[in-house]
Amino acid sequence: MNLIIRNATIIDQNSPYHNQTIDLKISGSSILKIGKNLEKASDFDEISFENLHVSPGWFDTSVSLGEPGFEERETIANGLSVAAKSGFTAIALQPNTSPILDNQAQIRFVKEKAKENAVDLFPIGAFTKNAEGLDLAELFDMKNAGAIAFGDYGKNISNANLLKIGLQYVQDFDGLIIAFSQDEKIKGSGVVHEGIVSTRLGLKGIPTLAEELMVARNLFLLEYTGGKMHIPTISTSKSVDLIREAKAKGLNITASVAIHHLVLTDEKLDSFDTRFKVSPPLRDDFNRTALIQGVLDGTIDMITCDHNPIDIEHKKMEFDMAKNGTIGLENAFGALQTVLPTDVIVSKLTAGKAVFGLNNNSIKEDEVANLSFFNPNGNWIFTKENVLSKSKNTAFLGQEMKGKVYGIYNNGKLVIR
């Protein structure tokens, strides 16, 4: 495709055009020319939007899609369409499918399903066979098949020795281990954050200790073994402190936070609405504020939607019985704009590329055209009409949003919402 993008404000701190409003001339997958008032060309289409801003393409490091096995929740085809219309040019696919993505055949299957798409799909392989936490999965084979990291989605590796062996093993091929951190014994039958709200509502609480104890243990293991570890979706102030201290020691550790933990608190639980049941649970405002500070000071490397479609049969039921999870791609940018500056949002939605070993493109001439389009201005309310996923389990219905996503350009394809 040949395209000229008119009057675009560039948001890219690694680009010489950062904060400048210019035109971009693109052919296929490459940026040919950047400048003001570029000449028209007969074989180039042109696009322009109100207050158009362009950044390097966003990458979400934690997306669940269901397929294979849970297509009633979401399919790969529709999930990638949702991602594109939400401003994401790439996603990391979690292995929580049926069967689990724990071998090279499954990795190749999901990659094949995503071929020829505007959005790049990068699978995460399960750390253990069938994500059961007992034996290591085929890590090296999955790496060769295209897996970019290894982790059992939403499950703590209770066997410390297994995690130690895994961290040592993957160093031979520069592998990355994702260590979700939550002590299941301390969590027990808890379903929400342990605090004033859980006491008032009579719901069993999950103390912050359940997360912090495992974060500390996993960091000790990393310090012993070396290698690379990523701790996803941290949710407490102490977890931020622990990761900050680990980075000061020089450990190769990164961390992410989910959008809903930056924007929402457990005060939302007053209605007993299971849309707000997530793992880790929504915390109080003290922890939410600490997470925002962790993003701003660089302790938290990236922000994820932790997009997890759940069908209505497993979500619209008693709070204790409902599955954890919320979708988040559609509301990602608009929700983040209510709590963070635009430059920070773009930085944290693109930082995962370097961590997961992907090409971290910049907006320059002769670079790959991998772009997200958006308008950072304008307030609106997120409603059912804004939900694009097959599953509708969003925690953000009725939430105020700021800014609008127009779409993406990637792999020579333009997708506009």
PDB file of all heavy atoms in Angstrom, residues 1-19:
ATOM      1  N   MET A   1       0.842  -1.198   0.000  1.00  0.00           N
ATOM      2  CA  MET A   1       0.000   0.000   0.000  1.00  0.00           C
ATOM      3  C   MET A   1       0.875   1.245   0.000  1.00  0.00           C
ATOM      4  O   MET A   1       1.894   1.302   0.702  1.00  0.00           O
ATOM      5  CB  MET A   1      -0.910   0.002   1.232  1.00  0.00           C
ATOM      6  CG  MET A   1      -1.874   1.164   1.310  1.00  0.00           C
ATOM      7  SD  MET A   1      -2.986   1.066   2.725  1.00  0.00           S
ATOM      8  CE  MET A   1      -4.107   2.406   2.314  1.00  0.00           C
ATOM      9  N   ASN A   2       0.497   2.245  -0.790  1.00  0.00           N
ATOM     10  CA  ASN A   2       1.176   3.539  -0.807  1.00  0.00           C
ATOM     11  C   ASN A   2       0.297   4.572  -0.117  1.00  0.00           C
ATOM     12  O   ASN A   2      -0.883   4.711  -0.451  1.00  0.00           O
ATOM     13  CB  ASN A   2       1.468   3.978  -2.249  1.00  0.00           C
ATOM     14  CG  ASN A   2       2.466   3.059  -2.933  1.00  0.00           C
ATOM     15  OD1 ASN A   2       3.351   2.505  -2.280  1.00  0.00           O
ATOM     16  ND2 ASN A   2       2.321   2.900  -4.235  1.00  0.00           N
ATOM     17  N   LEU A   3       0.886   5.310   0.823  1.00  0.00           N
ATOM     18  CA  LEU A   3       0.059   6.155   1.689  1.00  0.00           C
ATOM     19  C   LEU A   3       0.820   7.413   2.090  1.00  0.00           C
ATOM     20  O   LEU A   3       2.012   7.358   2.407  1.00  0.00           O
ATOM     21  CB  LEU A   3      -0.318   5.359   2.939  1.00  0.00           C
ATOM     22  CG  LEU A   3      -1.278   6.005   3.939  1.00  0.00           C
ATOM     23  CD1 LEU A   3      -2.668   6.150   3.332  1.00  0.00           C
ATOM     24  CD2 LEU A   3      -1.345   5.160   5.213  1.00  0.00           C
ATOM     25  N   ILE A   4       0.111   8.536   2.098  1.00  0.00           N
ATOM     26  CA  ILE A   4       0.631   9.770   2.687  1.00  0.00           C
ATOM     27  C   ILE A   4      -0.263  10.138   3.868  1.00  0.00           C
ATOM     28  O   ILE A   4      -1.485  10.249   3.727  1.00  0.00           O
ATOM     29  CB  ILE A   4       0.666  10.928   1.662  1.00  0.00           C
ATOM     30  CG1 ILE A   4       1.649  10.606   0.539  1.00  0.00           C
ATOM     31  CG2 ILE A   4       1.071  12.232   2.347  1.00  0.00           C
ATOM     32  CD1 ILE A   4       1.688  11.654  -0.563  1.00  0.00           C
ATOM     33  N   ILE A   5       0.348  10.297   5.013  1.00  0.00           N
ATOM     34  CA  ILE A   5      -0.371  10.671   6.237  1.00  0.00           C
ATOM     35  C   ILE A   5      -0.130  12.159   6.467  1.00  0.00           C
ATOM     36  O   ILE A   5       1.016  12.603   6.599  1.00  0.00           O
ATOM     37  CB  ILE A   5       0.131   9.849   7.442  1.00  0.00           C
ATOM     38  CG1 ILE A   5      -0.030   8.348   7.153  1.00  0.00           C
ATOM     39  CG2 ILE A   5      -0.608  10.242   8.714  1.00  0.00           C
ATOM     40  CD1 ILE A   5       0.689   7.464   8.151  1.00  0.00           C
ATOM     41  N   ARG A   6      -1.202  12.920   6.522  1.00  0.00           N
ATOM     42  CA  ARG A   6      -1.095  14.374   6.597  1.00  0.00           C
ATOM     43  C   ARG A   6      -1.221  14.899   8.031  1.00  0.00           C
ATOM     44  O   ARG A   6      -2.014  14.405   8.820  1.00  0.00           O
ATOM     45  CB  ARG A   6      -2.201  15.020   5.750  1.00  0.00           C
ATOM     46  CG  ARG A   6      -2.108  14.747   4.253  1.00  0.00           C
ATOM     47  CD  ARG A   6      -0.912  15.436   3.645  1.00  0.00           C
ATOM     48  NE  ARG A   6      -0.889  15.287   2.175  1.00  0.00           N
ATOM     49  CZ  ARG A   6       0.138  15.670   1.415  1.00  0.00           C
ATOM     50  NH1 ARG A   6       1.205  16.238   1.987  1.00  0.00           N
ATOM     51  NH2 ARG A   6       0.094  15.491   0.103  1.00  0.00           N
ATOM     52  N   ASN A   7      -0.415  15.913   8.319  1.00  0.00           N
ATOM     53  CA  ASN A   7      -0.525  16.696   9.557  1.00  0.00           C
ATOM     54  C   ASN A   7      -0.568  15.807  10.803  1.00  0.00           C
ATOM     55  O   ASN A   7      -1.491  15.882  11.608  1.00  0.00           O
ATOM     56  CB  ASN A   7      -1.763  17.589   9.508  1.00  0.00           C
ATOM     57  CG  ASN A   7      -1.686  18.594   8.383  1.00  0.00           C
ATOM     58  OD1 ASN A   7      -0.643  19.191   8.133  1.00  0.00           O
ATOM     59  ND2 ASN A   7      -2.802  18.777   7.677  1.00  0.00           N
ATOM     60  N   ALA A   8       0.469  14.992  10.955  1.00  0.00           N
ATOM     61  CA  ALA A   8       0.552  14.074  12.087  1.00  0.00           C
ATOM     62  C   ALA A   8       1.576  14.584  13.093  1.00  0.00           C
ATOM     63  O   ALA A   8       2.718  14.897  12.733  1.00  0.00           O
ATOM     64  CB  ALA A   8       0.947  12.679  11.603  1.00  0.00           C
ATOM     65  N   THR A   9       1.164  14.675  14.346  1.00  0.00           N
ATOM     66  CA  THR A   9       2.094  15.034  15.415  1.00  0.00           C
ATOM     67  C   THR A   9       2.793  13.764  15.898  1.00  0.00           C
ATOM     68  O   THR A   9       2.129  12.813  16.337  1.00  0.00           O
ATOM     69  CB  THR A   9       1.359  15.706  16.582  1.00  0.00           C
ATOM     70  OG1 THR A   9       0.701  16.885  16.107  1.00  0.00           O
ATOM     71  CG2 THR A   9       2.331  16.083  17.692  1.00  0.00           C
ATOM     72  N   ILE A  10       4.105  13.740  15.818  1.00  0.00           N
ATOM     73  CA  ILE A  10       4.881  12.548  16.143  1.00  0.00           C
ATOM     74  C   ILE A  10       5.143  12.482  17.649  1.00  0.00           C
ATOM     75  O   ILE A  10       5.624  13.447  18.249  1.00  0.00           O
ATOM     76  CB  ILE A  10       6.221  12.544  15.382  1.00  0.00           C
ATOM     77  CG1 ILE A  10       5.983  12.679  13.880  1.00  0.00           C
ATOM     78  CG2 ILE A  10       7.014  11.277  15.701  1.00  0.00           C
ATOM     79  CD1 ILE A  10       5.112  11.611  13.287  1.00  0.00           C
ATOM     80  N   ILE A  11       4.824  11.339  18.233  1.00  0.00           N
ATOM     81  CA  ILE A  11       5.141  11.081  19.639  1.00  0.00           C
ATOM     82  C   ILE A  11       6.112   9.905  19.671  1.00  0.00           C
ATOM     83  O   ILE A  11       5.724   8.737  19.614  1.00  0.00           O
ATOM     84  CB  ILE A  11       3.872  10.760  20.462  1.00  0.00           C
ATOM     85  CG1 ILE A  11       2.840  11.876  20.326  1.00  0.00           C
ATOM     86  CG2 ILE A  11       4.236  10.533  21.932  1.00  0.00           C
ATOM     87  CD1 ILE A  11       3.283  13.216  20.875  1.00  0.00           C
ATOM     88  N   ASP A  12       7.387  10.234  19.703  1.00  0.00           N
ATOM     89  CA  ASP A  12       8.441   9.215  19.678  1.00  0.00           C
ATOM     90  C   ASP A  12       9.732   9.861  20.151  1.00  0.00           C
ATOM     91  O   ASP A  12      10.401  10.580  19.407  1.00  0.00           O
ATOM     92  CB  ASP A  12       8.601   8.657  18.262  1.00  0.00           C
ATOM     93  CG  ASP A  12       9.713   7.610  18.170  1.00  0.00           C
ATOM     94  OD1 ASP A  12      10.282   7.233  19.222  1.00  0.00           O
ATOM     95  OD2 ASP A  12      10.018   7.168  17.051  1.00  0.00           O
ATOM     96  N   GLN A  13      10.097   9.596  21.396  1.00  0.00           N
ATOM     97  CA  GLN A  13      11.263  10.256  21.987  1.00  0.00           C
ATOM     98  C   GLN A  13      12.571   9.845  21.308  1.00  0.00           C
ATOM     99  O   GLN A  13      13.595  10.502  21.498  1.00  0.00           O
ATOM    100  CB  GLN A  13      11.306   9.965  23.484  1.00  0.00           C
ATOM    101  CG  GLN A  13      10.136  10.576  24.232  1.00  0.00           C
ATOM    102  CD  GLN A  13      10.137  10.262  25.721  1.00  0.00           C
ATOM    103  OE1 GLN A  13      10.988   9.533  26.207  1.00  0.00           O
ATOM    104  NE2 GLN A  13       9.171  10.804  26.443  1.00  0.00           N
ATOM    105  N   ASN A  14      12.558   8.779  20.525  1.00  0.00           N
ATOM    106  CA  ASN A  14      13.765   8.353  19.814  1.00  0.00           C
ATOM    107  C   ASN A  14      13.814   8.872  18.378  1.00  0.00           C
ATOM    108  O   ASN A  14      14.735   8.533  17.636  1.00  0.00           O
ATOM    109  CB  ASN A  14      13.845   6.825  19.798  1.00  0.00           C
ATOM    110  CG  ASN A  14      13.990   6.241  21.189  1.00  0.00           C
ATOM    111  OD1 ASN A  14      14.756   6.744  22.005  1.00  0.00           O
ATOM    112  ND2 ASN A  14      13.239   5.189  21.479  1.00  0.00           N
ATOM    113  N   SER A  15      12.839   9.670  18.015  1.00  0.00           N
ATOM    114  CA  SER A  15      12.770  10.207  16.659  1.00  0.00           C
ATOM    115  C   SER A  15      13.182  11.675  16.635  1.00  0.00           C
ATOM    116  O   SER A  15      12.840  12.436  17.546  1.00  0.00           O
ATOM    117  CB  SER A  15      11.335  10.076  16.115  1.00  0.00           C
ATOM    118  OG  SER A  15      11.190  10.800  14.910  1.00  0.00           O
ATOM    119  N   PRO A  16      13.894  12.103  15.596  1.00  0.00           N
ATOM    120  CA  PRO A  16      14.225  13.528  15.479  1.00  0.00           C
ATOM    121  C   PRO A  16      13.003  14.404  15.225  1.00  0.00           C
ATOM    122  O   PRO A  16      13.086  15.630  15.307  1.00  0.00           O
ATOM    123  CB  PRO A  16      15.182  13.567  14.274  1.00  0.00           C
ATOM    124  CG  PRO A  16      14.877  12.332  13.489  1.00  0.00           C
ATOM    125  CD  PRO A  16      14.465  11.303  14.501  1.00  0.00           C
ATOM    126  N   TYR A  17      11.858  13.761  14.956  1.00  0.00           N
ATOM    127  CA  TYR A  17      10.629  14.508  14.682  1.00  0.00           C
ATOM    128  C   TYR A  17       9.684  14.541  15.885  1.00  0.00           C
ATOM    129  O   TYR A  17       8.525  14.934  15.744  1.00  0.00           O
ATOM    130  CB  TYR A  17       9.910  13.887  13.477  1.00  0.00           C
ATOM    131  CG  TYR A  17      10.773  13.809  12.242  1.00  0.00           C
ATOM    132  CD1 TYR A  17      11.438  12.624  11.915  1.00  0.00           C
ATOM    133  CD2 TYR A  17      10.939  14.916  11.416  1.00  0.00           C
ATOM    134  CE1 TYR A  17      12.241  12.540  10.779  1.00  0.00           C
ATOM    135  CE2 TYR A  17      11.741  14.838  10.275  1.00  0.00           C
ATOM    136  CZ  TYR A  17      12.392  13.649   9.973  1.00  0.00           C
ATOM    137  OH  TYR A  17      13.188  13.570   8.865  1.00  0.00           O
ATOM    138  N   HIS A  18      10.176  14.152  17.052  1.00  0.00           N
ATOM    139  CA  HIS A  18       9.338  14.093  18.246  1.00  0.00           C
ATOM    140  C   HIS A  18       8.664  15.447  18.510  1.00  0.00           C
ATOM    141  O   HIS A  18       9.317  16.490  18.507  1.00  0.00           O
ATOM    142  CB  HIS A  18      10.182  13.689  19.448  1.00  0.00           C
ATOM    143  CG  HIS A  18       9.422  13.597  20.737  1.00  0.00           C
ATOM    144  ND1 HIS A  18       8.273  12.860  20.869  1.00  0.00           N
ATOM    145  CD2 HIS A  18       9.650  14.161  21.955  1.00  0.00           C
ATOM    146  CE1 HIS A  18       7.833  12.949  22.115  1.00  0.00           C
ATOM    147  NE2 HIS A  18       8.654  13.738  22.791  1.00  0.00           N
ATOM    148  N   ASN A  19       7.343  15.391  18.689  1.00  0.00           N
ATOM    149  CA  ASN A  19       6.505  16.570  18.979  1.00  0.00           C
ATOM    150  C   ASN A  19       6.375  17.520  17.783  1.00  0.00           C
ATOM    151  O   ASN A  19       5.837  18.617  17.936  1.00  0.00           O
ATOM    152  CB  ASN A  19       7.008  17.337  20.202  1.00  0.00           C
ATOM    153  CG  ASN A  19       6.606  16.658  21.504  1.00  0.00           C
ATOM    154  OD1 ASN A  19       5.597  15.950  21.566  1.00  0.00           O
ATOM    155  ND2 ASN A  19       7.394  16.872  22.555  1.00  0.00           N
TER     156      ASN A  19
END
